Amino acid sequence: MNKIIFALAALLFSATTMAQQSNEPSILPKPSKVTMGLQECFFVLNPQTKIINKLEDKDAKVVTKEINSLAQELLGRNLKTASSIKEDNNIIIKKNGSLATEGYILEITPENIIIQAKSTAGAFYALQTLKQIVPIQAYETPLDLETVKLPTMKVEDAPHFAYRGFMLDCSRHFWDVETVKEVIDIMALHKMNRFHWHLTEDQGWRIEIKKYPLLTEKGSLREQTTTGHNEGFDGIPYGGYYTQKDIKEIVKYAEERFITIIPEIEIPGHSLGALCAYPWLGCRGEEGNYKTWSLWGVSPQIVCAGKESSFKFWEDVLGEVIKLFPGEYIHIGGDEAPRDEWKVCPLCQKRIQENGLKNEAELQSYVTHRIEEYLNKHGRKLIGWDEILEGGVSQSATIMSWRGASGGIKAAQKGNYAIMTPNDFCYLDYFQTKDRKDEPDAIGGYVPLSKTYSLNPYDKLTAEQQKYIMGVQGNLWCEYIPTPMQLQYMALPRLGAIAEVGWSNPAPESKDVNKFIERAKHLSRYYAVFGWNFAKHFYDGVEQ
Ligand code: ACM
Ligand code: ZN
């Protein structure tokens, strides 16, 4: 008898589980835990739904604003707010100090939606989840609906990594304020929280520095741009830069979406924009005949590390950058620095001798140390590309690993913090399909969605070393990306994979590429209603 009852109970349980599973919404990045309510139970969002925001942090109003932007989209109006519960039909947001910093609990009951979070960021992420629980039809035909039915459930969620980033190159092609804001919106939906803004380059300096006006007056302009893969020139002058006012506007916009901006000022290479504006920065001075570059690739010119005036320049620039960007990290580039000019520059060689340095790699390291001291003195921390490891690096520098994962592994082994952006997984400027047939031209490489998703940031690291991996980042270099539409096409859907590697459990055994791809496909319908372009290449490279 007992056996029969057990068998019946097991059957009932599995039937319920199956019903629940089929009902479970597709949420990307995958949440830690979702428990579905009964299938026939819904919360009905309607114009009478009230917001009861009990968060007390100074940024708490951002949450009300975010709910209202969703209400505008779905119901064509803002919701009323209330300070206490009088009757059902509320979205209640309250603090729960026992949750993880960016974690949240989202409960959708027939009576109310209840969000608990430790920080306002957590509540904001609960709303990003809610946006994906809203059935796609509610966005596709919004104003036909007076109400939106939301399935009942409980989502308990928190990110794995504290750093979930995206880098945008604004130098090879310049992106206006609206385009950058849209990138920030895309990141926010994916619960990403670090925007690495690549602002200076051989091909153009893009940030206004009041003390050095020629950086933008001259250094932001190039005479023309190469066509194809350095095959010809288009003969069209090109330029653009962000005023400090633009930057403040974008920093605030990002802050309201819990995204910290990490500005990147390239030191000492990738600097033709600066050299064109102020030739005295170069080893060859006026004789250098520096011109903002019209080719792709890395120019052989470099800022002189022998002159004190170069350090004064870098510190002045960083002084203004620090005032514009409140985040704790400043990225100083350091990648691909062509050190040949240093080999023949008397001042650089004198610096090497006087400081007992072995070679030019150590001279770069000398530069990095001095810049780091300056940043630390001003309460900031330094991030550099993995090349800064080459001549020796201080214990406090953070390494961004791009030439594969080896730089990040080396950093973690020696106890430096690292961010994983290995090019073979995270370079979103690479082709998305093997045959490249229906893709626009790209820089090269091959990184399908499944490859990005397969990144294990902890690969080859012991449990102790894993503690030094701060997180992951997708990088979008923009040599071959001339329009905002193409920018989004290259970023999506692969940014979803970066987001999921950063947010969800990265252990290979907890991942399932086919299920991830289903989530990515589902989310792409939301991209479409939000007006974002995306590549349709979901399955390339995946064993079916
Ligand atoms: C890089 O791709 N040069 C960091
Ligand atoms: Zn020099």
Side-chain angles (χ1 to χ4, degrees), residues 283 304-306 342 345 347-348:
C283 289
C304 180
W342 284 356
C345 169
L347 293 176
C348 286

PDB file of all heavy atoms in Angstrom, residues 283 304-306 342 345 347-348, ligand 2:
ATOM      1  N   CYS A 283      59.521  60.977 -28.528  1.00  0.00           N
ATOM      2  CA  CYS A 283      60.981  60.866 -28.479  1.00  0.00           C
ATOM      3  C   CYS A 283      61.613  61.751 -29.553  1.00  0.00           C
ATOM      4  O   CYS A 283      62.714  62.241 -29.384  1.00  0.00           O
ATOM      5  CB  CYS A 283      61.402  59.411 -28.701  1.00  0.00           C
ATOM      6  SG  CYS A 283      61.014  58.344 -27.304  1.00  0.00           S
ATOM      7  N   CYS A 304      57.613  59.685 -25.118  1.00  0.00           N
ATOM      8  CA  CYS A 304      58.969  59.539 -24.561  1.00  0.00           C
ATOM      9  C   CYS A 304      58.898  59.333 -23.047  1.00  0.00           C
ATOM     10  O   CYS A 304      58.251  60.099 -22.337  1.00  0.00           O
ATOM     11  CB  CYS A 304      59.780  60.799 -24.880  1.00  0.00           C
ATOM     12  SG  CYS A 304      61.451  60.705 -24.243  1.00  0.00           S
ATOM     13  N   ALA A 305      59.586  58.289 -22.611  1.00  0.00           N
ATOM     14  CA  ALA A 305      59.588  58.010 -21.167  1.00  0.00           C
ATOM     15  C   ALA A 305      60.806  58.626 -20.495  1.00  0.00           C
ATOM     16  O   ALA A 305      60.996  58.488 -19.284  1.00  0.00           O
ATOM     17  CB  ALA A 305      59.568  56.505 -20.937  1.00  0.00           C
ATOM     18  N   GLY A 306      61.632  59.313 -21.295  1.00  0.00           N
ATOM     19  CA  GLY A 306      62.830  59.939 -20.733  1.00  0.00           C
ATOM     20  C   GLY A 306      62.564  61.353 -20.237  1.00  0.00           C
ATOM     21  O   GLY A 306      63.272  61.857 -19.367  1.00  0.00           O
ATOM     22  N   TRP A 342      62.216  54.067 -28.145  1.00  0.00           N
ATOM     23  CA  TRP A 342      62.908  54.199 -26.847  1.00  0.00           C
ATOM     24  C   TRP A 342      64.347  53.674 -26.943  1.00  0.00           C
ATOM     25  O   TRP A 342      65.227  54.160 -26.246  1.00  0.00           O
ATOM     26  CB  TRP A 342      62.172  53.394 -25.753  1.00  0.00           C
ATOM     27  CG  TRP A 342      60.899  54.041 -25.259  1.00  0.00           C
ATOM     28  CD1 TRP A 342      60.388  55.249 -25.615  1.00  0.00           C
ATOM     29  CD2 TRP A 342      59.999  53.493 -24.282  1.00  0.00           C
ATOM     30  NE1 TRP A 342      59.222  55.498 -24.939  1.00  0.00           N
ATOM     31  CE2 TRP A 342      58.953  54.429 -24.111  1.00  0.00           C
ATOM     32  CE3 TRP A 342      59.952  52.307 -23.550  1.00  0.00           C
ATOM     33  CZ2 TRP A 342      57.890  54.221 -23.235  1.00  0.00           C
ATOM     34  CZ3 TRP A 342      58.905  52.095 -22.667  1.00  0.00           C
ATOM     35  CH2 TRP A 342      57.882  53.045 -22.521  1.00  0.00           C
ATOM     36  N   CYS A 345      66.422  56.549 -28.371  1.00  0.00           N
ATOM     37  CA  CYS A 345      66.218  57.886 -27.798  1.00  0.00           C
ATOM     38  C   CYS A 345      67.200  58.099 -26.642  1.00  0.00           C
ATOM     39  O   CYS A 345      67.189  57.343 -25.665  1.00  0.00           O
ATOM     40  CB  CYS A 345      64.777  58.034 -27.314  1.00  0.00           C
ATOM     41  SG  CYS A 345      64.508  59.511 -26.316  1.00  0.00           S
ATOM     42  N   LEU A 347      67.281  60.248 -24.295  1.00  0.00           N
ATOM     43  CA  LEU A 347      66.650  60.527 -22.995  1.00  0.00           C
ATOM     44  C   LEU A 347      66.070  59.250 -22.373  1.00  0.00           C
ATOM     45  O   LEU A 347      66.162  59.034 -21.169  1.00  0.00           O
ATOM     46  CB  LEU A 347      65.543  61.585 -23.155  1.00  0.00           C
ATOM     47  CG  LEU A 347      66.043  62.972 -23.541  1.00  0.00           C
ATOM     48  CD1 LEU A 347      64.878  63.936 -23.768  1.00  0.00           C
ATOM     49  CD2 LEU A 347      66.976  63.526 -22.449  1.00  0.00           C
ATOM     50  N   CYS A 348      65.490  58.407 -23.204  1.00  0.00           N
ATOM     51  CA  CYS A 348      64.937  57.140 -22.689  1.00  0.00           C
ATOM     52  C   CYS A 348      66.075  56.240 -22.199  1.00  0.00           C
ATOM     53  O   CYS A 348      65.968  55.603 -21.148  1.00  0.00           O
ATOM     54  CB  CYS A 348      64.116  56.431 -23.767  1.00  0.00           C
ATOM     55  SG  CYS A 348      62.519  57.226 -24.056  1.00  0.00           S
TER      56      CYS A 348
HETATM   57 ZN    ZN B   2      62.370  58.987 -25.503  1.00  0.00          ZN
END
